[in-house]
């Protein structure tokens, strides 16, 4: 193992305290800090020390793919790290978004190749499923709720212009696509008035509270109303949200560890000043009710938990060691990234031993052996899933 230095992304919705507090830096920070990236994504690769200089993990993978990735990973994913581990810290709502499945990403990337960069939906040929585990209480919007519930919630605002949307929702899941299309294609002046009317309606309850919060952050944005079609969930530390392809979602606030397939393919559905391609979003979305988006941890060994997902791009394990269990061994094949979230931990996979404090990370190659974690504290370990 060796120390891994990840860049911080300064998006406007980020926190001025979350990541800095984790790493023991002064707060508030000068800029919002939204994400700490721990991987080899070309958009913001992490780095390791080499002869007194920082070297991009991307360059190391290209130079020594067999050592870092292993034959199986190279055969399946090429000379790239197929997963990206992040720390995410949100103080404001993110954009509503969804991601394509592998076939959609491959076809979309090929079709977009001739377009100007600003008009492309697919910047790479990869899918982007995501798993987020809460480090603090987190609130999010995730997947469509029962459209009958959404229709009742929207009707309570008493806005006549919403009647066509209510009619679509009352037909059941089959009407979700039409409801979303109507909301996202409403002419701008009327849309702004409709959003304002909903946000100012004398209605109490969680839906009214959400509408007011989102409208304050994104005045006139149709995503304010689309958000009311989704499940609003709160997860506690250790609980997770699994976001497969076609799942419309957004984080509202909180801090968590996120692992995803290493892709930048995002189709937005509102709550953003960025481009929204309604036709492509509607083609990618899965218009089905997601009854329970929350995933609990599964204990796989003393001190080790995971959140199984049906993809082979990544796996995520949580390791906890203390005075009663001072060392844990985690069998791994392939590259791995370890993030310490609390305490002081020694990590060793046979290629080197590294001591980590909170907010520090280490990376190990496929050529390494089992991962040994000792000390006192908690770590999250990102790796490739079982290659099928």
């Amino acid at each position: 193992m060796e120390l891994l230095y990840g860049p911080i992304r300064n998006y406007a919705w980020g926190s001025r305290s979350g990541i800095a507090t984790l790493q023991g830096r002064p707060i508030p920070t000068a800029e919002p800090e939204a994400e700490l990236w721990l991987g080899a994504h070309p958009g913001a690769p992490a780095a390791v020390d080499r002869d007194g200089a920082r070297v991009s993990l991307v360059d190391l993978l290209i130079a020594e793919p067999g050592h870092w990735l292993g034959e199986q990973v190279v055969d399946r994913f090429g000379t790239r790290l197929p997963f990206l581990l992040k720390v995410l810290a949100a103080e404001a709502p993110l954009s509503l978004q969804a991601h394509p499945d592998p076939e959609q990403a491959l076809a979309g990337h090929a079709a977009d190749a001739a377009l100007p960069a600003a008009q492309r939906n697919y910047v790479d040929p990869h899918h982007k499923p995501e798993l987020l585990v809460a480090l603090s209480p987190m609130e999010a919007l995730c997947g469509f709720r029962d459209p009958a519930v959404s229709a009742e919630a929207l009707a309570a605002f008493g806005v006549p212009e919403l009647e066509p949307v209510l009619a679509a929702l009352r037909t059941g899941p089959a009407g979700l696509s039409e409801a979303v299309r109507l909301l996202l294609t409403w002419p701008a002046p009327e849309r702004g008035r409709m959003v304002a009317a909903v946000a100012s309606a004398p209605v109490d309850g969680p839906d009214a509270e959400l509408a007011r919060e989102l409208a304050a952050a994104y005045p006139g944005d149709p995503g304010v109303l689309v958000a009311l079609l989704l499940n609003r969930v709160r997860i506690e530390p250790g609980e997770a949200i699994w976001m497969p392809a076609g799942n419309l979602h957004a984080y509202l606030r909180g801090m968590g560890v996120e692992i995803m397939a290493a892709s930048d393919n995002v189709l937005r559905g509102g709550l953003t000043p960025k481009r929204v391609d309604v036709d492509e979003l509607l083609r990618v979305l899965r218009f089905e009710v997601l009854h329970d988006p929350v995933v609990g941890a599964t204990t796989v060994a003393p001190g080790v938990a995971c959140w199984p997902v049906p993809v082979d791009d990544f796996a995520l394990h949580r390791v906890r060691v203390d005075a009663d269990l001072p060392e844990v061994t985690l069998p791994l094949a392939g590259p791995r990234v370890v993030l310490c979230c609390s305490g002081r931990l020694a990590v060793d996979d046979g290629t080197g031993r590294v001591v980590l404090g909170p907010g520090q990370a280490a990376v190990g190659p496929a050529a390494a052996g089992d991962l040994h974690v000792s000390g006192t504290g908690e770590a999250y370990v990102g790796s490739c899933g079982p290659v099928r």
Side-chain angles (χ1 to χ4, degrees):
M1 303 294 293
E2 52 188 310
L3 285 171
L4 183 67
Y5 302 93
I8 291 174
R9 310 308 301 269
N10 303 109
Y11 305 138
W13 50 263
S15 168
R16 294 178 184 269
S17 61
I19 296 174
T21 298
L22 176 66
Q23 295 183 326
R25 293 184 283 113
I27 58 171
T29 54
E31 295 181 84
E33 297 183 342
E35 296 178 343
L36 170 66
W37 284 29
L38 299 168
H41 191 285
V48 299
D49 284 327
R50 285 290 184 277
D51 300 321
R54 296 275 168 88
V55 177
S56 165
L57 192 54
V58 171
D59 294 338
L60 295 181
L61 300 186
I62 294 172
E64 300 179 274
H67 171 74
W68 280 100
L69 298 170
E71 182 179 345
Q72 279 193 314
V73 172
V74 171
D75 288 346
R76 170 70 175 85
F77 299 104
T79 55
R80 66 184 188 93
L81 189 66
F83 66 87
L84 173 60
L85 186 67
K86 295 181 180 179
V87 177
L88 181 148
E91 281 189 3
L94 282 68
S95 63
L96 288 170
Q97 57 190 268
H99 310 297
D101 65 26
E103 293 75 21
Q104 291 166 338
L106 189 62
H109 183 61
D112 280 2
L115 296 176
Q119 297 178 21
R120 295 175 189 169
N121 292 309
Y122 301 96
V123 297
D124 59 61
H126 310 301
H127 70 160
K128 193 186 177 186
E130 302 172 350
L131 176 77
L132 180 132
V133 180
L135 291 176
S136 71
M138 288 199 71
E139 292 185 49
L141 303 170
C142 188
F144 291 105
R145 63 181 176 178
D146 185 336
V149 175
S150 297
E152 183 178 355
L154 289 176
F157 291 105
V159 178
E161 291 86 351
L162 286 174
E163 282 302 323
V165 178
L166 301 181
L169 291 172
R170 286 167 179 153
T171 66
L176 281 170
S177 176
E178 177 65 4
V180 173
R181 186 191 68 79
L182 285 169
L183 291 172
L184 291 180
T185 58
W186 222 286
E190 291 123 349
R191 180 178 70 211
R193 288 193 293 271
M194 187 165 57
V195 171
V198 167
S200 61
V203 178
D204 293 325
D207 289 295
E209 176 188 319
L210 177 63
R212 286 191 284 268
E213 175 188 346
L214 296 180
Y218 300 98
D221 192 305
V224 173
L225 304 180
V226 175
L228 299 177
L229 309 185
L230 306 179
N231 295 295
R232 185 177 183 179
V233 298
R234 176 185 170 95
I235 56 174
E236 300 298 329
E239 292 184 316
I241 301 174
W242 161 241
M243 289 152 287
N247 175 50
L248 191 61
H249 63 277
Y251 302 122
L252 300 177
R253 61 181 58 81
M255 186 166 171
V257 173
E258 186 177 34
I259 191 166
M260 62 185 63
S263 169
D264 255 349
N265 287 324
V266 177
L267 292 157
R268 294 177 176 85
L271 305 183
T272 178
K274 296 182 180 179
R275 173 173 171 265
V276 175
D277 186 330
V278 176
D279 290 339
E280 189 62 18
L281 177 69
L282 294 177
R283 194 179 73 83
V284 165
L285 285 180
R286 293 182 179 175
F287 292 102
E288 54 194 33
V289 177
L290 182 61
H291 293 288
D292 188 6
V294 179
V295 181
T298 298
T299 300
V300 295
V304 181
C306 73
W307 298 262
V309 293
V311 297
D312 55 10
D313 306 73
F314 60 80
L316 184 66
H317 290 85
R318 184 188 64 210
V319 176
R320 288 174 173 168
V321 289
D322 54 28
D324 295 325
L325 185 67
E327 182 169 339
V328 164
T329 299
L330 184 60
L332 291 175
R336 68 289 309 263
V337 174
V338 182
L339 167 69
C340 177
C341 287
S342 67
R344 189 168 179 81
L345 302 173
V347 293
D348 190 345
D349 61 2
T351 66
R353 181 178 183 272
V354 174
V355 176
L356 302 176
Q360 291 185 305
V363 62
D370 294 346
L371 177 67
H372 302 275
V373 182
S374 59
T376 300
E378 179 178 276
Y380 285 82
V381 182
S383 64
C384 297
V387 177
R388 292 184 279 271

